[in-house]
């Protein structure tokens, strides 16, 4: 999406405006729910330790937690297994999708 912006000298420049990802609605994975059920100290430890465990940055972990149910995005299988193991849930139970 492009937006016209007027400068001081009344010329216009086209700037790219990013669409904000909708963070409401049903999620494809239970990751956000699992993270919100942690105590404050456990949440801080998870934010520090889990990205190192899965080999991704904290922003990627946040993006994984906000994947909507109708999205084509997915968490790689080996990463999902590590997340399930970290939270102590059964393999395959991270997904909100019916099997």
């Amino acid at each position: 999406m492009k937006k016209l912006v007027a400068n001081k000298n009344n010329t216009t420049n086209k700037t790219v405006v990013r669409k904000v990802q909708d963070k409401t609605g049903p999620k494809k994975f239970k990751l956000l729910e699992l993270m919100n059920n942690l105590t404050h100290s456990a949440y801080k430890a998870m934010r520090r330790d889990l990205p190192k465990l899965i080999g991704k940055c904290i922003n990627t972990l946040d993006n994984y937690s906000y994947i909507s149910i109708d999205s084509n995005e997915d968490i790689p299988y080996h990463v999902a297994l590590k997340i399930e193991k970290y939270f102590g849930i059964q393999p395959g139970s991270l997904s909100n999708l019916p099997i």
Side-chain angles (χ1 to χ4, degrees), residues 10 25 29 46 57 67 91:
N10 291 333
F29 301 100
M46 181 273 308
C57 68
I67 296 174

Side-chain angles (χ1 to χ4, degrees), residues 45-59:
M46 181 273 308
R47 298 275 295 179
R48 181 182 60 243
D49 298 335
L50 190 56
K52 293 176 187 173
L53 179 70
I54 64 174
K56 306 287 182 183
C57 68
I58 193 66
N59 290 340

Side-chain angles (χ1 to χ4, degrees), residues 39-84:
T39 62
H40 180 69
S41 58
Y43 181 81
K44 284 176 63 173
M46 181 273 308
R47 298 275 295 179
R48 181 182 60 243
D49 298 335
L50 190 56
K52 293 176 187 173
L53 179 70
I54 64 174
K56 306 287 182 183
C57 68
I58 193 66
N59 290 340
T60 303
L61 185 64
D62 289 338
N63 291 341
Y64 286 163
S65 66
Y66 289 113
I67 296 174
S68 65
I69 202 158
D70 58 347
S71 175
N72 291 335
E73 295 179 63
D74 207 4
I75 297 176
Y77 182 72
H78 66 281
V79 173
L81 285 178
K82 290 178 184 177
I83 292 171
E84 291 166 344

Side-chain angles (χ1 to χ4, degrees), residues 19-36:
K19 291 185 177 182
V20 177
Q21 181 183 5
D22 183 23
K23 295 186 177 182
T24 60
K27 304 295 178 237
K28 191 180 266 190
F29 301 100
K30 298 176 188 173
L31 186 56
L32 190 62
E33 179 183 330
L34 292 169
M35 290 173 19
N36 288 336

